[in-house]
Amino acid sequence: MNGSNGEERVVHEVAMVVPKRALEEEGDCVEFLVTELKKRGMVVDRVVGLADEFLKVAAPLETLGNAAEELHIRKPTRLGIDLPFEMQGSEAFIRQPDGSLFSWFERFRCYQHLIYGIVNCSGYDVTLKLDGREFCWVAGESLLRRLESEGVIKQMFPLHDEFKRKELLQTWALNWWNFTNQPIDQIYSYFGAKIGVYFSFLGMYTQWLIFPALLGFIVQMVDFGSLQFLALPIFFVSTILWAALFLQFWKRKNAALLARWQINCLVGPSQGYRFLGMEWSSLPFPKELIKNLGNERSKEKEAYQRYEWFAYRKRFRNDVLVIMSIICLQLPFELAYAHIFEIITSDIIKYVLTAIYLLIIQYLTRLGGKVSVKLINREINESVEYRANSLIYKVFGLYFMQTYIGIFYHVLLHRNFMTLRQVLIQRLIISQVFWTLMDGSLPYLKYSYRKYRARTKKKMEDGSSTGKIQIASRVEKEYFKPTYSASIGVELEDGLFDDSLELALQFGMIMMFACAFPLAFALAAVSNVMEIRTNALKLLVTLRRPLPRAAATIGAWLNIWQFLVVMSICTNSVLLVCLYDQEGKWKIEPGLAAILIMEHVLLLLKFGLSRLVPEEPAWVRASRVKNVTQAQDMYCKQLLRSISGELASLTKPEQEQQQDYERF
C-alpha cells in the first residue's frame, strides 16, 4: 500500500516463488497458502512463468495498520510524542514525505508479520499436498516456515513499484543535469533510511569536493615562482581543515535528515539502537543470569562483570588474529608487488600488473571477509549493528593494507615522487573502471545468464529448438535479477558495504597523498558524479529492490573517515619532509621542525573543530527538547489525574487536551 494525500493505492510489494504444479488436487498447499493470505486481508495475484509460479502479494492500508498495531510499532504523533500505532487514531500520526502512513521499513515488517504469522491454530495437524507428495502442517507451526522447509516456497523477495521506479529514473538516475542534487526524500521513501542516508552523504561529499578540486588544479598547474615551496603546505593545511569541517557538517545534516524523516534513533556510548519501536540495547546475557537477577547483588555484579570481560576478550582475540594475518600473510605479498612495480620500466606492463593485482586482492579479500564473518559469529556483540560494524572494521583493515602499503613503500624507501604520482593515477583510474564494471556489468551478466538458462530449460522441456521464448511477466524478470548483497557476507551487510568501501578507499587515496598529487581531488569529483548515476541505475534497473535495513547513519564508516583524516595528517607531513630533506639526512632543521609543529597543530585543530561545530542544528535540538518536555508533562498530568480522580475539575482547554491524548 502506498498513498499520498489520503488516497490509497494498492501495490504488490512482495513476491513468493513456488513451483509449477503438474496437477490440481484437493489439499494443494499453494491453493491453501493463497486462501490463508486472503483471510489475513492481503491481495494475491498469481502469475505463471517459464519454470515457476509467482504469488504477488499486496496489503491494503487497513491490513497494514492492523499488523502495525499487533507489532506495537511506535510512530511519531502530531503532538511530538512517539506512541504505539493504533488504526483507529491513524490520523494523529505523522505521515512520510511521500504522503504514505508507513515507511518502507515499517511496511516490510508488517508484510513479514502477516505472512509468517499464518499459524495452525486448529489444534490438530493438517495434511497438505504438492504433486502427489504429502506432508503435515502441525499445530502451532508457521505455514510459511513449513512450506520453506519442504521446498515449496523457493524465495520471497520485495518487488519494485513501477510507478515510483519510473519516477525515480526520470528525476534521479537519468537526470544528469542536476549533478549532485538528488531527490533524497523520494529515495528514502522508496529504499529506506540506510540507502537514503548513503546517497545524501555521497551527494554532500561530491559537492564539498569542488573546493579542494579547484585548489588542487591551481596548485598542480600554476607555477608560483619563488613562493612555490609554500604552495604544497598551504594546500595540505587547507585539505585537512576542509575534511574536518566536512565530517562535522555531515553530522549536522544527518541529524537534520532524521528529524525531517521523523526517525527517532537514540544512540548511547554503550547502547544499541532504539529504532522504530525496536530495542536492541541489551547484551545477549545467558538465561541463568537473567533468572537470578536481583537475588544476590554482589554475586550478580560479579557474574555480569565476568561475562562482560569474557565478551571483550573474545573480540580482542579475533582482532589480534586479523591483524597478525595481515602482517604475516598479506604484507609480504603487497611489498613484492610494490617492488616489482618499481623495477618494471614499461607503462603498459605496469597497468596490466595493477589490473592482475586488483583481481587477486579481490579474491583474497573475499576470503578474508568470510573468515571475519566466522570470527564475528563467535563473538558476543550487543546488536546486529554492532556485529556489522565489527565486520566493517576487520575487512577495512584488509583493504587498507592492500591499497596503501605499496604506496607507502614508494614514499619511504624510494622517495620517487614521479613513480608515486604514476601509481596514484593508475590506482584511481583502474579502480574506477574496475568498480564501474563490477557495479554495472556483473549484475547485468548474471541477469542475462539466468534468463538464458530459463529459456534453454523451457525449450528442452517443450522439445522445441526454434523460436524465441519471451519472458512477459515483470515479476519473473525481477526474480532473475541478482540481489543487492555485499561481496563479503550477506548475513550482516547489504550491497552498501561495497559502495561505502569504494568511497572510503577513494577518500583515503586523495587525502593521504594530497601533497604528491593535488589533481586527484578533481578526478575524485568527476568520478563521484558518475558514481551517483551508475549506483542509481544499478538499484533501479539491474538489481532487485533491496531489503530495508534498520540503520539511520553511516555507522562505522564515519569512524573510518575520521581515522583517515588523522592518517592523512601524518602521511602528508612525511611527504613534505621527503620533499624538504632530499638528501635523506633527517635532521631537525628549521624547515623540518616547522613541519613537525604544523602536524601537531593540525591534529589539535582537527579534534578542536569536532568540539566547536555542534553535531546537530539548533532547531533539531530545540524540537527534540520540546517533544520530550511535552511528553513528560502529559504523562505526569495523566498520572496525577489517575491517582487523584479529580478529572471533573479540569478546565475546558485541559479537557480538550485530555480527550486528544485518550484518543491515541
Side-chain angles (χ1 to χ4, degrees):
M1 193 289 304
N2 286 295
S4 61
N5 300 326
E7 297 181 1
E8 183 179 351
R9 184 170 63 92
V10 178
V11 179
H12 295 94
E13 295 186 293
V14 175
M16 288 179 282
V17 186
V18 298
K20 277 186 177 180
R21 276 101 63 222
L23 51 98
E24 296 288 342
E25 54 187 338
E26 186 179 356
D28 182 79
C29 60
V30 177
E31 294 287 348
F32 189 83
L33 173 62
V34 172
T35 303
E36 291 296 322
L37 289 172
K38 291 180 178 179
K39 286 181 181 179
R40 295 278 283 179
M42 287 176 278
V43 179
V44 183
D45 186 13
R46 303 176 67 169
V47 178
V48 179
L50 295 180
D52 300 291
E53 185 178 352
F54 302 90
L55 305 180
K56 298 194 300 181
V57 181
L61 177 61
E62 184 178 358
T63 303
L64 289 175
N66 294 332
E69 189 171 346
E70 293 174 4
L71 288 169
H72 302 289
I73 293 179
R74 301 183 70 88
K75 292 180 63 63
T77 63
R78 301 184 187 278
L79 293 177
I81 307 171
D82 287 3
L83 295 175
F85 181 80
E86 292 185 5
M87 192 60 194
Q88 290 183 350
S90 60
E91 294 299 325
F93 293 91
I94 297 177
R95 291 183 172 265
Q96 299 297 311
D98 64 344
S100 59
L101 185 58
F102 299 103
S103 67
W104 169 226
F105 179 76
E106 292 169 331
R107 292 201 307 276
F108 195 76
R109 279 191 65 198
C110 293
Y111 273 109
Q112 288 182 314
H113 174 73
L114 290 168
I115 295 173
Y116 284 96
I118 302 175
V119 179
N120 186 358
C121 301
S122 61
Y124 54 87
D125 296 349
V126 177
T127 301
L128 301 176
K129 299 178 182 179
L130 179 67
D131 290 340
R133 181 166 59 93
E134 295 185 356
F135 55 91
C136 289
W137 179 31
V138 300
E141 184 183 22
S142 170
L143 176 60
L144 204 75
R145 299 287 184 195
R146 185 60 179 172
L147 295 179
E148 286 177 340
S149 63
E150 294 292 336
V152 178
I153 302 294
K154 296 182 178 181
Q155 282 189 35
M156 187 177 75
F157 58 93
L159 289 172
H160 278 290
D161 180 351
E162 281 304 300
F163 176 78
K164 290 189 175 181
R165 190 183 73 88
K166 291 179 180 178
E167 185 179 4
L168 281 172
L169 276 173
Q170 295 176 356
T171 60
W172 180 35
L174 301 178
N175 190 7
W176 287 85
W177 293 107
N178 278 342
F179 294 103
T180 60
N181 293 327
Q182 304 172 83
I184 296 298
D185 288 341
Q186 291 178 325
I187 297 171
Y188 156 71
S189 299
Y190 190 71
F191 290 112
K194 189 172 184 179
I195 293 180
V197 166
Y198 167 77
F199 278 101
S200 178
F201 178 81
L202 177 57
M204 180 177 174
Y205 170 52
T206 307
Q207 289 175 347
W208 276 63
L209 272 176
I210 295 175
F211 167 73
L214 293 176
L215 188 60
F217 182 82
I218 294 172
V219 171
Q220 186 84 34
M221 298 301 179
V222 178
D223 185 6
F224 294 94
S226 60
L227 298 177
Q228 186 69 34
F229 73 98
L230 292 176
L232 286 180
I234 292 174
F235 178 70
F236 166 43
V237 173
S238 301
T239 54
I240 295 300
L241 295 178
W242 164 84
L245 287 173
F246 161 68
L247 293 178
Q248 283 304 115
F249 277 93
W250 160 249
K251 293 178 185 178
R252 292 172 59 84
K253 183 171 184 178
N254 194 10
L257 284 175
L258 299 186
R260 193 168 78 209
W261 296 339
Q262 299 295 329
I263 296 178
N264 181 21
C265 182
L266 303 176
V267 184
S270 61
Q271 298 174 346
Y273 285 75
R274 183 188 296 273
F275 184 83
L276 295 176
M278 296 185 299
E279 183 70 32
W280 297 336
S281 60
S282 59
L283 279 165
F285 293 117
K287 293 182 179 179
E288 56 269 17
L289 292 182
I290 305 298
K291 290 179 180 178
N292 299 327
L293 185 64
N295 293 340
E296 297 184 20
R297 240 182 189 340
S298 59
K299 292 184 178 180
E300 171 196 329
K301 180 180 178 181
E302 182 181 351
Y304 273 100
Q305 286 179 342
R306 185 167 56 251
Y307 190 79
E308 178 187 13
W309 285 107
F310 175 72
Y312 287 147
R313 184 172 61 83
K314 293 187 74 172
R315 287 198 292 268
F316 178 75
R317 180 201 62 187
N318 292 341
D319 293 340
V320 170
L321 284 175
V322 172
I323 293 172
M324 293 303 297
S325 300
I326 292 174
I327 294 175
C328 299
L329 300 178
Q330 194 174 0
L331 183 59
F333 172 76
E334 299 294 334
L335 291 177
Y337 160 75
H339 179 70
I340 295 173
F341 189 92
E342 182 68 29
I343 62 177
I344 291 177
T345 56
S346 174
D347 292 339
I348 297 177
I349 297 179
K350 286 183 178 180
Y351 272 99
V352 174
L353 177 65
T354 304
I356 296 173
Y357 162 78
L358 290 175
L359 290 175
I360 294 175
I361 65 173
Q362 281 295 315
Y363 173 77
L364 294 177
T365 306
R366 290 190 180 186
L367 180 62
K370 292 178 181 178
V371 174
S372 299
V373 170
K374 291 184 178 179
L375 291 174
I376 290 169
N377 288 333
R378 298 184 179 182
E379 292 179 357
I380 303 173
N381 290 288
E382 298 183 10
S383 66
V384 175
E385 290 299 319
Y386 274 69
R387 295 176 65 206
N389 290 344
S390 180
L391 177 65
I392 289 172
Y393 290 135
K394 288 178 175 63
V395 177
F396 180 78
L398 298 174
Y399 269 98
F400 183 84
M401 183 67 68
Q402 292 168 354
T403 306
Y404 304 122
I405 190 63
I407 304 176
F408 292 151
Y409 174 85
H410 292 293
V411 172
L412 298 176
L413 189 60
H414 294 281
R415 297 192 175 195
N416 189 337
F417 274 74
M418 292 304 296
T419 303
L420 174 60
R421 189 169 295 174
Q422 188 179 18
V423 169
L424 291 173
I425 294 174
Q426 289 181 3
R427 289 289 183 92
L428 287 171
I429 294 176
I430 294 178
S431 296
Q432 179 61 36
V433 172
F434 177 80
W435 286 107
T436 301
L437 290 175
M438 291 288 290
D439 287 345
S441 302
L442 193 59
Y444 180 75
L445 290 175
K446 288 181 179 179
Y447 170 67
S448 301
Y449 177 68
R450 290 174 182 175
K451 286 200 305 182
Y452 170 77
R453 285 185 58 185
R455 288 169 175 167
T456 303
K457 185 178 179 180
K458 182 66 175 177
K459 286 183 179 180
M460 292 178 62
E461 290 176 353
D462 296 343
S464 174
S465 59
T466 59
K468 188 175 181 180
I469 299 176
Q470 296 290 340
I471 300 176
S473 62
R474 184 162 294 280
V475 62
E476 189 169 17
K477 293 179 181 179
E478 294 287 328
Y479 174 58
F480 290 139
K481 292 179 181 179
T483 58
Y484 187 49
S485 59
S487 59
I488 54 162
V490 185
E491 299 93 341
L492 300 178
E493 275 294 326
D494 55 15
L496 277 182
F497 174 86
D498 295 324
D499 295 331
S500 301
L501 175 65
E502 177 188 358
L503 209 59
L505 292 177
Q506 180 206 84
F507 179 75
M509 187 81 70
I510 64 177
M511 283 297 299
M512 288 200 294
F513 307 99
C515 291
F517 188 40
L519 197 60
F521 288 88
L523 296 178
V526 175
S527 172
N528 287 351
V529 172
M530 298 178 61
E531 187 76 12
I532 292 173
R533 308 305 166 190
T534 55
N535 283 350
L537 286 171
K538 175 179 68 175
L539 287 171
L540 292 170
V541 178
T542 60
L543 296 176
R544 292 181 189 173
R545 188 178 185 180
L547 295 172
R549 296 278 179 160
T553 66
I554 59 175
W557 293 108
L558 184 60
N559 295 331
I560 289 174
W561 281 58
Q562 299 277 14
F563 164 76
L564 291 174
V565 173
V566 175
M567 283 294 299
S568 64
I569 295 175
C570 302
T571 55
N572 282 284
S573 298
V574 172
L575 288 173
L576 291 177
V577 168
C578 293
L579 284 173
Y580 178 80
D581 186 25
Q582 296 182 359
E583 297 180 0
K585 295 180 180 180
W586 299 91
K587 294 181 180 180
I588 303 299
E589 296 178 359
L592 297 180
I595 294 173
L596 187 62
I597 294 172
M598 181 174 63
E599 177 191 17
H600 286 71
V601 170
L602 286 174
L603 287 172
L604 290 174
L605 284 175
K606 192 269 174 196
F607 292 107
L609 287 174
S610 63
R611 297 292 179 265
L612 291 175
V613 180
E615 294 188 1
E616 59 180 3
W619 68 269
V620 174
R621 245 183 350 263
S623 177
R624 189 181 68 251
V625 171
K626 177 184 175 183
N627 293 341
V628 171
T629 304
Q630 191 171 359
Q632 289 177 345
D633 291 343
M634 186 164 291
Y635 285 132
C636 289
K637 289 179 181 179
Q638 175 67 17
L639 180 61
L640 291 174
R641 290 165 186 166
S642 62
I643 293 174
S644 62
E646 297 179 354
L647 297 178
S649 62
L650 296 178
T651 62
K652 186 174 181 180
E654 288 176 331
Q655 290 178 356
E656 294 177 354
Q657 188 178 23
Q658 176 66 17
Q659 291 173 359
D660 292 338
Y661 175 76
E662 291 176 349
R663 196 178 299 124
F664 297 139

